[in-house]
Amino acid sequence: MVRIDLELCNGCGLCARNCPLGCITIEGKKANIGAGCSSCGICTRVCNRGAAQKEAKPPAGSVTCSHCPVQCQVQEGFTGACRRYTNIKGQLVRNRPLVTSVPKPTLPPPEIEWPLITAIGAGTEYPCPRPAPYIVQGQRGGIEVVTVVTEAPLSYSGIKVKIDTNFHIGEEGARVRRDGQVVGMVDTEEYGSKMLYIGGANLLTGKSGFMAARTIVDLANGRRVVLKVEKGSTLELQVGHRPVIDGQEDTTMRVGCGSATIGLFAYHLKGVVDEAIILDHHIIGLFSEHLAGQEVGMTYSGVIPAGRKSTRGRYFGDPGNGWGGTAITDPRQAIKAVDMNIARPGMRILVTETTARKAALFEVQPDGDVREIPLTPEVRMVIELIASNCEEARVSALYVGGTGGSARAGVTTLPVELTRAVHRGEIKLTIGGAPAMLLPGGGINFMVDVEKVAAPEAFYWVPTPATVAPVEYTMLKSTYERIGGHLHRLRPVEEVVAGVRD
Ligand code: SF4
Ligand code: SF4
Ligand code: SF4
C-alpha cells in the first residue's frame, strides 16, 4: 500500500496519470490513494517530491504476486497492476481463461509460396497504366500459377538496420549522417541490438534525398557504409559483417540484460561467488537480491550496486562506453556501497558484463571497502560459460517499402482487389524471391530481410528520388483473373526463361 505525505505533495497529478489501476485522485490539491492499490510502486517512482511512499507492511489480506519482478501486493477482491490476476479469497486467480483454440489458417496453396521468376533485372514500365514488364504463367503440381514482376520504384521506402552491440552509439532519435547529409535516425533499441532507420518518404523527398536513397541501396546490397550519429559514434556497417563502432570492431552480442543473465546462470553462480553484479546499459542484475538468486537459495548480501532500482535485484544503468554499455569504466564503480550490517568480511563479489568479455572479482574488507583479487578458476569457468552463450555480433537489415499505390497498376486494373488478395494470402508477395513480411492494416507495406534476396545487387535507386526493389506477386491463375489482371500480357514462363523477346 502507498501513503501520501501531504506536506510534500503539491497535487501535480503525475502519480494519478501514471497509476495503472486508476487508484489515485487529486482532491484539494493533494493526492489521495483509493481502494485497490496493488503497491506496484509506479507512483513512488514518478513522484519528484518523494510524497508517494510505499508502506513497509503489506495490506491485510493481500497476496504478493510472483508472476513478474514488480511483485504486486494484490488486495482481496482487486487485481494486480497488469490486471491479469485477481485476489479471490487469498488466492491469485488468472482473470482470462486460456485460449485453447485458434482459427484454422487460410494458408495459401504451396504452389504460390515462391515466384516463377524473380523481378531482379525485370526493369520498370512507366507511366503506371502499362502492364508490368513480365507477367508469366506456368504450372506447379498441375495448377496454373501466375507471377507478375516489376522493379518497382518505391518512394515510400527505407531500411531498418540492426546492429548487434552493447556499445552506446547515440541517443534515440539522434540524426544519422553520411558525408554530412542527414540520411536517417537512431531508432529504439531492441534487445541486444541498436537500431537505425535510414530513409523514409520524408527524407527521400528532402534536401538529402539522393544521399538517403543511395545509402538505403548500398546497405541493402551489402556494401560497406560509414555513418555518423549526431553527438554519437561513427559507424562502419556492412550487412552480414561485424559492426565497427568508433574504429572498434564488436565481436559478440550480449546473452541478455543483466537481469536475464542472472536468471540464465543463477545455478552456475551459486557456490562460486557470494554476489554478482552483471553490468548492462539497460538492466544491471544483482544476484543475491534477484528472485532468481532467491530461487537458488541466495539471501541478500548487503551489496548496493550502482544504478537506479527498478525491481528486486534489477537496476537501471546509464548508457555509456564502459562495461556492458554502461558509463562504468572501472569495475570498482559498480559497487556503490556494502552494508556491513548484512555483509561479512571475505565475501566475494563478481563484477562482469552481459557479454562476459570483462570480469573482476572483489573481496569485502572488514571496514566495508572492497579489494580486487584475481579471478578464481571457478569464476573463470562461469565467465567462459556466459561468453560461450553469446552470439556473434553482426549487422542485419530489413528493407521496408510500400507497393500499395500506383505500383499496383502494372499488376491489375482493380488495385484494391490486389491489396485485399495480398492480405488474404491469395497472392504471395516476394522481394527478389525472398518472402516479404506484410504489415497489417491497409495498403501493401512490407519488410524483407535483404540477405534472403536471391541475387546480389538486387536494389537500385532512381533520382526521383526513390529506391527500386524487385517485387513479385505470385498467385493462382484463377485469382489473377478475378482481380482484373492484365491477362493479355500473360506469357509462358518457359519462353521468358529461354530469353524469347516480346
Ligand atoms: S506525483 Fe507526488 S507531488 Fe504529484 S500529486 Fe502525486 S504524490 Fe503529490
Ligand atoms: S502503487 Fe501502483 S497501484 Fe498503488 S497507487 Fe501507486 S501506482 Fe497506483
Ligand atoms: S504479473 Fe501483474 S499482478 Fe503480478 S506482479 Fe506483475 S504486474 Fe503485478
Side-chain angles (χ1 to χ4, degrees), residues 224-248:
R224 198 162 194 82
V225 169
V226 178
L227 301 172
K228 174 83 181 88
V229 178
E230 218 165 64
K231 295 187 184 159
S233 299
T234 299
L235 312 170
E236 286 172 58
L237 306 176
Q238 186 173 15
V239 169
H241 295 256
R242 290 173 174 173
V244 179
I245 294 155
D246 294 324
Q248 198 182 333

Short mmCIF file of all heavy atoms in Angstrom, two decimals, residues 224-248:
data_model
loop_
_atom_site.label_atom_id
_atom_site.label_comp_id
_atom_site.label_asym_id
_atom_site.label_seq_id
_atom_site.Cartn_x
_atom_site.Cartn_y
_atom_site.Cartn_z
N ARG A 224 29.70 -1.66 -47.80
CA ARG A 224 30.14 -1.04 -46.55
C ARG A 224 29.80 0.45 -46.57
O ARG A 224 30.08 1.14 -47.57
CB ARG A 224 31.65 -1.24 -46.39
CG ARG A 224 32.15 -1.03 -44.98
CD ARG A 224 33.52 -1.67 -44.81
NE ARG A 224 33.89 -1.77 -43.40
CZ ARG A 224 33.49 -2.74 -42.61
NH1 ARG A 224 32.70 -3.68 -43.05
NH2 ARG A 224 33.84 -2.77 -41.34
N VAL A 225 29.22 0.94 -45.48
CA VAL A 225 28.79 2.33 -45.41
C VAL A 225 29.29 2.93 -44.10
O VAL A 225 29.24 2.28 -43.06
CB VAL A 225 27.23 2.39 -45.47
CG1 VAL A 225 26.72 3.77 -45.13
CG2 VAL A 225 26.73 1.95 -46.84
N VAL A 226 29.79 4.17 -44.16
CA VAL A 226 30.22 4.85 -42.94
C VAL A 226 29.19 5.93 -42.60
O VAL A 226 28.87 6.78 -43.42
CB VAL A 226 31.62 5.48 -43.12
CG1 VAL A 226 32.04 6.23 -41.84
CG2 VAL A 226 32.65 4.41 -43.47
N LEU A 227 28.67 5.85 -41.39
CA LEU A 227 27.64 6.78 -40.93
C LEU A 227 28.09 7.44 -39.64
O LEU A 227 28.83 6.84 -38.85
CB LEU A 227 26.32 6.03 -40.68
CG LEU A 227 25.73 5.28 -41.87
CD1 LEU A 227 24.54 4.43 -41.43
CD2 LEU A 227 25.30 6.25 -42.96
N LYS A 228 27.60 8.65 -39.42
CA LYS A 228 27.95 9.36 -38.17
C LYS A 228 26.66 9.72 -37.44
O LYS A 228 25.76 10.33 -38.02
CB LYS A 228 28.75 10.63 -38.54
CG LYS A 228 29.05 11.52 -37.36
CD LYS A 228 30.28 11.04 -36.59
CE LYS A 228 30.59 11.90 -35.37
NZ LYS A 228 29.93 11.54 -34.14
N VAL A 229 26.57 9.29 -36.19
CA VAL A 229 25.41 9.64 -35.37
C VAL A 229 25.69 11.00 -34.72
O VAL A 229 26.77 11.21 -34.17
CB VAL A 229 25.18 8.57 -34.27
CG1 VAL A 229 23.99 8.95 -33.38
CG2 VAL A 229 24.97 7.20 -34.88
N GLU A 230 24.70 11.89 -34.81
CA GLU A 230 24.87 13.22 -34.22
C GLU A 230 25.14 13.09 -32.72
O GLU A 230 24.37 12.39 -32.02
CB GLU A 230 23.59 14.03 -34.44
CG GLU A 230 23.86 15.48 -34.76
CD GLU A 230 22.62 16.13 -35.33
OE1 GLU A 230 21.60 16.21 -34.61
OE2 GLU A 230 22.66 16.53 -36.50
N LYS A 231 26.19 13.70 -32.23
CA LYS A 231 26.63 13.61 -30.82
C LYS A 231 26.85 12.15 -30.40
O LYS A 231 26.63 11.79 -29.24
CB LYS A 231 25.62 14.26 -29.88
CG LYS A 231 25.47 15.74 -30.09
CD LYS A 231 24.58 16.33 -29.04
CE LYS A 231 24.34 17.79 -29.30
NZ LYS A 231 23.17 18.30 -28.65
N GLY A 232 27.18 11.32 -31.36
CA GLY A 232 27.38 9.91 -31.04
C GLY A 232 28.53 9.32 -31.84
O GLY A 232 29.48 10.01 -32.21
N SER A 233 28.41 8.05 -32.16
CA SER A 233 29.52 7.28 -32.72
C SER A 233 29.61 7.38 -34.25
O SER A 233 28.64 7.72 -34.93
CB SER A 233 29.35 5.81 -32.37
OG SER A 233 29.35 5.66 -30.98
N THR A 234 30.78 7.01 -34.74
CA THR A 234 30.97 6.78 -36.17
C THR A 234 30.80 5.29 -36.39
O THR A 234 31.40 4.47 -35.68
CB THR A 234 32.37 7.24 -36.62
OG1 THR A 234 32.46 8.65 -36.36
CG2 THR A 234 32.60 6.97 -38.09
N LEU A 235 29.95 4.92 -37.34
CA LEU A 235 29.61 3.52 -37.54
C LEU A 235 30.07 3.07 -38.92
O LEU A 235 29.78 3.73 -39.92
CB LEU A 235 28.09 3.33 -37.46
CG LEU A 235 27.37 3.97 -36.26
CD1 LEU A 235 25.86 3.90 -36.44
CD2 LEU A 235 27.77 3.26 -34.98
N GLU A 236 30.78 1.95 -38.96
CA GLU A 236 31.10 1.33 -40.26
C GLU A 236 30.26 0.08 -40.33
O GLU A 236 30.45 -0.86 -39.55
CB GLU A 236 32.58 0.97 -40.32
CG GLU A 236 33.48 2.15 -40.50
CD GLU A 236 34.94 1.75 -40.36
OE1 GLU A 236 35.40 0.88 -41.12
OE2 GLU A 236 35.59 2.29 -39.47
N LEU A 237 29.32 0.06 -41.28
CA LEU A 237 28.32 -1.00 -41.29
C LEU A 237 28.29 -1.70 -42.64
O LEU A 237 28.27 -1.06 -43.70
CB LEU A 237 26.93 -0.41 -41.00
CG LEU A 237 26.80 0.41 -39.71
CD1 LEU A 237 25.41 1.01 -39.61
CD2 LEU A 237 27.11 -0.44 -38.48
N GLN A 238 28.23 -3.02 -42.57
CA GLN A 238 28.06 -3.83 -43.77
C GLN A 238 27.23 -5.04 -43.37
O GLN A 238 27.61 -5.77 -42.45
CB GLN A 238 29.41 -4.27 -44.32
CG GLN A 238 29.30 -5.00 -45.64
CD GLN A 238 30.67 -5.27 -46.25
OE1 GLN A 238 31.70 -5.18 -45.59
NE2 GLN A 238 30.66 -5.65 -47.52
N VAL A 239 26.12 -5.20 -44.05
CA VAL A 239 25.22 -6.30 -43.71
C VAL A 239 25.97 -7.63 -43.78
O VAL A 239 26.72 -7.89 -44.73
CB VAL A 239 23.99 -6.29 -44.65
CG1 VAL A 239 23.17 -7.56 -44.51
CG2 VAL A 239 23.12 -5.07 -44.36
N GLY A 240 25.77 -8.45 -42.74
CA GLY A 240 26.40 -9.76 -42.71
C GLY A 240 27.77 -9.76 -42.07
O GLY A 240 28.40 -10.81 -41.92
N HIS A 241 28.26 -8.57 -41.68
CA HIS A 241 29.59 -8.45 -41.07
C HIS A 241 29.47 -7.85 -39.67
O HIS A 241 28.44 -7.32 -39.29
CB HIS A 241 30.49 -7.55 -41.93
CG HIS A 241 30.78 -8.14 -43.27
ND1 HIS A 241 31.99 -8.70 -43.58
CD2 HIS A 241 30.00 -8.28 -44.38
CE1 HIS A 241 31.94 -9.16 -44.82
NE2 HIS A 241 30.74 -8.92 -45.33
N ARG A 242 30.58 -7.93 -38.93
CA ARG A 242 30.59 -7.34 -37.59
C ARG A 242 30.54 -5.82 -37.69
O ARG A 242 31.16 -5.24 -38.59
CB ARG A 242 31.87 -7.73 -36.86
CG ARG A 242 31.91 -9.20 -36.48
CD ARG A 242 33.27 -9.53 -35.92
NE ARG A 242 33.31 -10.89 -35.41
CZ ARG A 242 34.40 -11.50 -34.98
NH1 ARG A 242 35.55 -10.86 -35.00
NH2 ARG A 242 34.35 -12.73 -34.52
N PRO A 243 29.85 -5.17 -36.76
CA PRO A 243 29.84 -3.70 -36.80
C PRO A 243 31.15 -3.13 -36.28
O PRO A 243 31.79 -3.72 -35.40
CB PRO A 243 28.69 -3.35 -35.83
CG PRO A 243 28.58 -4.51 -34.90
CD PRO A 243 29.03 -5.72 -35.67
N VAL A 244 31.56 -2.00 -36.84
CA VAL A 244 32.73 -1.30 -36.34
C VAL A 244 32.23 0.04 -35.79
O VAL A 244 31.63 0.83 -36.51
CB VAL A 244 33.79 -1.10 -37.44
CG1 VAL A 244 35.00 -0.33 -36.90
CG2 VAL A 244 34.22 -2.45 -38.00
N ILE A 245 32.46 0.24 -34.50
CA ILE A 245 31.92 1.42 -33.83
C ILE A 245 33.08 2.24 -33.28
O ILE A 245 33.86 1.74 -32.47
CB ILE A 245 30.93 0.99 -32.72
CG1 ILE A 245 29.74 0.31 -33.40
CG2 ILE A 245 30.47 2.17 -31.89
CD1 ILE A 245 29.00 -0.65 -32.59
N ASP A 246 33.19 3.47 -33.76
CA ASP A 246 34.32 4.33 -33.40
C ASP A 246 35.64 3.59 -33.58
O ASP A 246 36.53 3.61 -32.72
CB ASP A 246 34.18 4.83 -31.95
CG ASP A 246 32.97 5.75 -31.82
OD1 ASP A 246 32.71 6.51 -32.77
OD2 ASP A 246 32.29 5.70 -30.79
N GLY A 247 35.77 2.90 -34.68
CA GLY A 247 37.01 2.22 -35.03
C GLY A 247 37.21 0.88 -34.36
O GLY A 247 38.19 0.18 -34.64
N GLN A 248 36.28 0.48 -33.48
CA GLN A 248 36.45 -0.77 -32.73
C GLN A 248 35.42 -1.80 -33.22
O GLN A 248 34.22 -1.54 -33.18
CB GLN A 248 36.23 -0.47 -31.24
CG GLN A 248 36.79 -1.54 -30.35
CD GLN A 248 36.51 -1.21 -28.88
OE1 GLN A 248 36.36 -0.05 -28.49
NE2 GLN A 248 36.42 -2.25 -28.07
#
